[in-house]
Amino acid sequence: MTRHLLRISIMMLLPFFMGTIYGGALSAEPLPGGSLDPTTIPKFVTPLVIPPVMKSNGNNESGKNSYDIAVRQFRQHILPGGLWNRINGRNDAFPPTKVWGYGPAIDPKPDVAPSPASQFNYPAYTVETTSGIPVNVRWINDLVNKDGEFLPHFLPVDQTVHWANPKQKCDTGMMGTDCEGTSQRPYKGPVPIVVHVHGAHVDPHSDGYPEAWWLPAATNIPATYATEGSLFDDANGQPRGRNSGYADYFYRNDQPATTLWYHDHTLGMTRLNVYAGPAGYWLIRGGVNGDSFVDDGTTATENDGILPGPAPVSGDTLLELNAPGLIPGTTDKRSGIREIPILIQDRSFNDDGSLFYPKSRAFFEGVRRDQLRIPLAPYSDVLPIWNPEAFFNTIVVNGTTWPFLNVEPDRYRLRLLNGCNSRFLNLSLIAYDGAGNVLGEIPFYQIGAEEGFLQQVVEIKTGFATLLSGNGTKPASDADRTPAAHQQQALLMGLAERADVIMDFTALPAGTARVRMLNTASDEPFGGFPVVPSDPGTTGQVMEFVLVSDTPAGNNSTPSENLVLPAADPLGPATAVRGVSLNERESLTVCVLADAVSGAYLIPIKKVDCAIVPPAGTIAVHFAPAEAQLGMVDLTGPTPLNYPLDWGDTHSPNFPLVFNLQNGGTPTVYLTENPQIVGGIAPIEEWQIFNFTEDAHPIHLHMVRFQVVGRQAMDGGPSIVGNAPQPTESGYKDTVITYPGEITTVRARFDLPGLYVWHCHILEHEDNEMMRPYIVTEEP
């Protein structure tokens, strides 16, 4: 959503004062928002937190693959200060931040996280699993205070969006959940949650369907509130209305080794619940295409199947992995770790340490609230609180701002995840000497994506993406490298995409003292390169690696140029092709005046008659965007015909389908996508995703892993990134970047019957209609 990019860009460059634009000038009056100036936060002084492994329910065969995981509210030192002063010897005084996080239900809530006395943390500890061994999780909504009363959301919940709505007051006048509400005020009731393991091959009762949410088992929930969503279900068939505060989920875990993650997925609230903290890694190891492969006899070394390791294992403590010198006698396991999950997010803060999230649509428009003078929902179709995108001014990695990691001259495996709400990332690695002089860029070696290994290792530097053959050779200079789709492109990551990479600190430029991970994607919606890079002083910095030794550690991992990856076999040919679409909708009820040349709204922004004869130099336009949408594209005619659709639309081309819940319910859902298993044979479908918007969108399909088949412009010309899949898309994925004005084609096998969703993973988009259901049915 590209409206007012100039205003958004300026807001990011001046994140504290965020002045309003008047005829191209900046107002000295600050906008309401995050009061903590990110330039006052010291960088690279807080050590990177290596997440330990979450403990299971026991050590026997059933217990070690069973978890009781709760979400709770606590405070955590995200900003420098507190616990970090004891480690780095500084005297930073930034206060802790209120967050939510997952942890073992048996553990106490920490006084302040990270805490050796509790595994509750933001981000959550890692769930380690083995391919082929099922896992059971009881997910518990424990957002209650010490007296058992519910805790309200500490971020602004828009009740007029299509959301969970436990109050059951719909704008249609009917009573029910999962609908648009009627109040412009932020919701202050008990918080619904539902957990989605992103990328899991999972049955529908355990997928975390957005309308399958539940409230905490609090003592003071009003009698008129629904305690579960309209499609609540779980693996045990728990009925609605029990107010148990939990759901039992079963995970097949029958997919190859890969990097998944788990996060909240509540209807109309995902952007807020995830921003509050609940997210963590879910790793699958082993299996047919696992990460313990061995020499195949064809490459230059005898150990071409050894990846950098070890990773943290169950039983490694927080102190052992992160602060072994804090308490005498603590075993130092940190210095030996060579595999680390890296969750990258953007956040903004207030002076008291609290998280900032915008409370008004005025934030996106770059104006004060009193300058947005248009009717808002429920009196129009423009929502009062929801923002089309939200970009924040501080980078947080594994729960701390701009951390550092001490490294040795060795190879490290990083499992990177873009966990931002709206921000694309474009990552690169720059080497510096001890005086801060730039020595050059070093490459990432990408070995995997969301659903397992790539076909070949890809060496990635800014402007280059070079496939390595595994025979011991690698590019000697840029002349030997393969150009990327654009000279600005480095390691590009859309929202929710993962990149399994190797960083090689054995081959650094002479004199290297540190390596910084930089982000050169934009501080505004991404539509493809070229872009104006992120603010180099804040959001353009990610983290720092500090070389603490000149002596190689002797790790036995295989050089990237020698790796032959155990990628999974490709799918067969498609048995069906369907068209789907990405759309934006402008307001149907509100028009405003805009500058006839720039298109910028006149300030104050006021509603006008859409048929008005505008003053000279202005035009009357529909206020936009009002929402993001998906849709169906009819491919049967000579020209594809697009039908933009909302989540709950029931008109044609939607059709009703009855399906079975585990709890015995037989609800009806209206949809347009219905893959069919016939005679036990799962269909392989190609989805042609038509992007009719001006932005790139990361599209995620639940339950399946897919292959990227290719891209092309809608007018038949080439894609801006080339028609073939990108080198980093040669493996299986679950999220794909779809570029504006293009058709992106993916191929997937739909082999589990039931109700699922597909959606954009820009969280602000999926929370306002850019999500649709699909049902896989099974016929004899």
Side-chain angles (χ1 to χ4, degrees):
M1 296 186 179
T2 54
R3 184 136 197 80
H4 310 319
L5 295 192
L6 175 61
R7 284 203 285 265
I8 295 171
S9 179
I10 290 175
M11 284 200 304
M12 293 308 305
L13 293 174
L14 298 175
F16 179 36
F17 290 104
M18 293 188 296
T20 305
I21 292 181
Y22 294 90
L26 287 175
S27 165
E29 184 175 2
L31 290 169
S35 55
L36 180 60
D37 181 352
T39 65
T40 67
I41 304 170
K43 297 178 181 64
F44 317 129
V45 300
T46 303
L48 175 78
V49 175
I50 300 176
V53 173
M54 187 174 292
K55 60 189 176 188
S56 61
N57 289 350
N59 295 320
N60 58 31
E61 199 59 35
S62 61
K64 69 181 182 181
N65 297 304
S66 178
Y67 299 81
D68 289 352
I69 300 176
V71 59
R72 291 179 183 154
Q73 180 173 291
F74 49 90
R75 296 181 304 150
Q76 181 162 321
H77 283 296
I78 300 174
L79 299 162
L83 168 68
W84 308 123
N85 289 342
R86 297 174 57 192
I87 296 174
N88 59 24
R90 294 172 56 88
N91 294 301
D92 295 307
F94 294 94
T97 301
K98 182 193 299 182
V99 295
W100 297 343
Y102 298 113
I106 195 173
D107 275 19
K109 183 174 73 172
D111 292 331
V112 181
S115 169
S118 174
Q119 285 201 347
F120 279 89
N121 196 72
Y122 155 65
Y125 285 16
T126 301
V127 176
E128 281 271 353
T129 71
T130 302
S131 178
I133 299 179
V135 175
N136 293 281
V137 181
R138 171 165 290 184
W139 298 106
I140 302 167
N141 186 342
D142 206 17
L143 293 174
V144 297
N145 64 20
K146 59 182 178 59
D147 298 318
E149 299 172 332
F150 71 79
L151 292 168
H153 217 301
F154 59 83
L155 299 174
V157 179
D158 194 326
Q159 299 189 73
T160 64
V161 76
H162 183 189
W163 73 297
N165 204 348
K167 292 170 64 175
Q168 302 193 87
K169 293 184 179 180
C170 301
D171 67 350
T172 60
M174 304 291 288
M175 292 289 291
T177 63
D178 307 305
C179 60
E180 294 91 342
T182 59
S183 175
Q184 293 183 353
R185 296 180 178 179
Y187 171 72
K188 294 297 183 182
V191 176
I193 72 160
V194 63
V195 185
H196 171 56
V197 177
H198 182 117
H201 183 240
V202 62
D203 296 284
H205 52 64
S206 299
D207 184 47
Y209 194 78
E211 295 178 334
W213 53 265
W214 61 96
L215 298 183
T219 59
N220 62 331
I221 294 177
T224 57
Y225 278 44
T227 56
E228 295 90 13
S230 58
L231 294 180
F232 175 79
D233 201 14
D234 73 358
N236 292 329
Q238 181 183 173
R240 295 184 66 209
R242 283 181 53 187
N243 192 26
S244 64
Y246 66 82
D248 291 322
Y249 281 9
F250 168 80
Y251 298 96
R252 293 168 172 257
N253 242 38
D254 58 353
Q255 56 203 101
T258 192
T259 305
L260 309 182
W261 65 301
Y262 58 103
H263 62 80
D264 188 81
H265 209 266
T266 306
L267 182 69
M269 296 179 64
T270 300
R271 71 197 184 285
L272 302 171
N273 287 3
V274 172
Y275 191 81
Y281 279 79
W282 179 294
L283 302 183
I284 301 178
R285 299 189 187 274
V288 176
N289 305 103
D291 46 9
S292 299
F293 50 100
V294 295
D295 177 39
D296 64 2
T298 64
T299 58
T301 66
E302 290 301 316
N303 60 339
D304 63 344
I306 300 179
L307 297 177
V313 297
S314 179
D316 290 349
T317 68
L318 177 74
L319 292 179
E320 289 173 338
L321 291 172
N322 292 285
L326 198 59
I327 298 178
T330 302
T331 302
D332 177 11
K333 296 188 176 180
R334 181 179 179 87
S335 61
I337 293 297
R338 294 295 182 270
E339 181 195 317
I340 306 171
I342 301 289
L343 170 59
I344 304 170
Q345 299 173 303
D346 60 341
R347 297 289 186 264
S348 291
F349 299 88
N350 296 307
D351 286 331
D352 63 359
S354 62
L355 287 169
F356 164 77
Y357 193 92
K359 299 178 180 179
S360 167
R361 173 62 184 261
F363 177 83
F364 181 77
E365 303 307 326
V367 300
R368 298 191 308 269
R369 293 176 69 174
D370 66 342
Q371 294 172 323
L372 185 62
R373 303 177 188 174
I374 60 174
L376 301 170
Y379 308 107
S380 79
D381 57 358
V382 179
L383 306 183
I385 299 175
W386 174 80
N387 278 253
E389 279 106 8
F391 292 84
F392 304 100
N393 55 33
T394 303
I395 298 298
V396 175
V397 182
N398 286 7
T400 59
T401 54
W402 292 299
F404 74 90
L405 177 69
N406 290 336
V407 296
E408 298 179 356
D410 209 340
R411 284 177 285 273
Y412 287 69
R413 180 184 185 185
L414 304 183
R415 296 178 184 253
L416 302 173
L417 162 61
N418 181 351
C420 299
N421 278 34
S422 298
R423 178 185 297 277
F424 281 67
L425 299 171
N426 192 46
L427 304 177
S428 59
L429 300 169
I430 306 299
Y432 297 82
D433 65 16
N437 299 307
V438 174
L439 300 178
E441 181 175 356
I442 68 170
F444 289 104
Y445 295 95
Q446 185 169 349
I447 60 174
E450 293 92 74
E451 292 289 332
F453 289 105
L454 303 179
Q455 295 292 327
Q456 292 176 247
V457 177
V458 184
E459 186 210 62
I460 299 173
K461 293 179 65 177
T462 301
F464 300 96
T466 306
L467 293 171
L468 302 186
S469 61
N471 64 1
T473 62
K474 63 180 180 179
S477 68
D478 287 350
D480 301 322
R481 294 186 165 92
T482 304
H486 190 274
Q487 61 185 5
Q488 281 187 300
Q489 183 169 329
L491 179 54
L492 177 65
M493 297 184 68
L495 291 305
E497 285 194 305
R498 284 88 74 201
D500 195 347
V501 302
I502 293 174
M503 289 180 61
D504 192 346
F505 295 110
T506 69
L508 297 174
T512 297
R514 61 196 67 234
V515 174
R516 285 186 185 166
M517 186 185 294
L518 304 183
N519 168 41
T520 54
S522 184
D523 284 329
E524 57 193 30
F526 177 73
F529 295 103
V531 299
V532 176
S534 301
D535 175 20
T538 55
T539 52
Q541 306 272 348
V542 179
M543 65 175 293
E544 185 170 83
F545 302 88
V546 180
L547 210 63
V548 294
S549 171
D550 294 327
T551 305
N555 187 283
N556 202 31
S557 65
T558 304
S560 301
E561 62 270 23
N562 293 329
L563 282 172
V564 176
L565 302 175
D569 292 333
L571 293 169
T575 56
V577 178
R578 67 176 71 243
V580 296
S581 64
L582 317 179
N583 310 277
E584 291 177 6
R585 184 177 66 76
E586 61 190 10
S587 173
L588 303 177
T589 61
V590 177
C591 286
V592 299
L593 291 178
D595 183 271
V597 177
S598 70
Y601 296 155
L602 271 60
I603 300 172
I605 303 171
K606 297 188 293 185
K607 181 181 179 181
V608 299
D609 190 318
C610 293
I612 191 176
V613 176
T618 70
I619 53 175
V621 298
H622 288 268
F623 188 86
E627 66 179 33
Q629 293 177 301
L630 300 179
M632 186 269 269
V633 177
D634 185 348
L635 301 176
T636 59
T639 302
L641 184 59
N642 180 35
Y643 294 88
L645 299 167
D646 282 352
W647 168 270
D649 281 346
T650 59
H651 58 73
S652 178
N654 288 281
F655 57 89
L657 267 184
V658 178
F659 64 98
N660 298 319
L661 295 175
Q662 193 77 356
N663 61 24
T666 55
T668 299
V669 168
Y670 284 80
L671 44 76
T672 51
E673 284 71 54
N674 173 216
Q676 298 179 33
I677 302 170
V678 179
I681 300 175
I684 297 175
E685 293 196 352
E686 282 190 0
W687 286 29
Q688 295 183 359
I689 307 170
F690 289 69
N691 186 349
F692 291 100
T693 78
E694 296 182 1
D695 301 329
H697 297 268
I699 297 300
H700 171 48
L701 278 65
H702 282 219
M703 190 271 285
V704 300
R705 59 178 186 160
F706 56 72
Q707 294 172 279
V708 178
V709 176
R711 297 176 174 88
Q712 70 176 58
M714 288 188 194
D715 62 8
S719 163
I720 61 173
V721 296
N723 287 15
Q726 295 285 284
T728 54
E729 296 173 331
S730 66
Y732 282 92
K733 292 175 62 64
D734 57 46
T735 307
V736 64
I737 297 174
T738 61
Y739 288 92
E742 294 191 0
I743 305 167
T744 302
T745 302
V746 299
R747 182 182 299 165
R749 176 184 284 113
F750 295 84
D751 60 346
L752 295 179
L755 174 66
Y756 300 94
V757 293
W758 68 284
H759 60 86
C760 175
H761 220 285
I762 296 174
L763 301 187
E764 282 71 20
H765 290 188
E766 76 168 87
D767 272 352
N768 189 13
E769 300 300 339
M770 208 167 194
M771 180 160 57
R772 290 275 295 166
Y774 77 88
I775 290 180
V776 181
T777 53
E778 190 167 19
E779 307 294 337

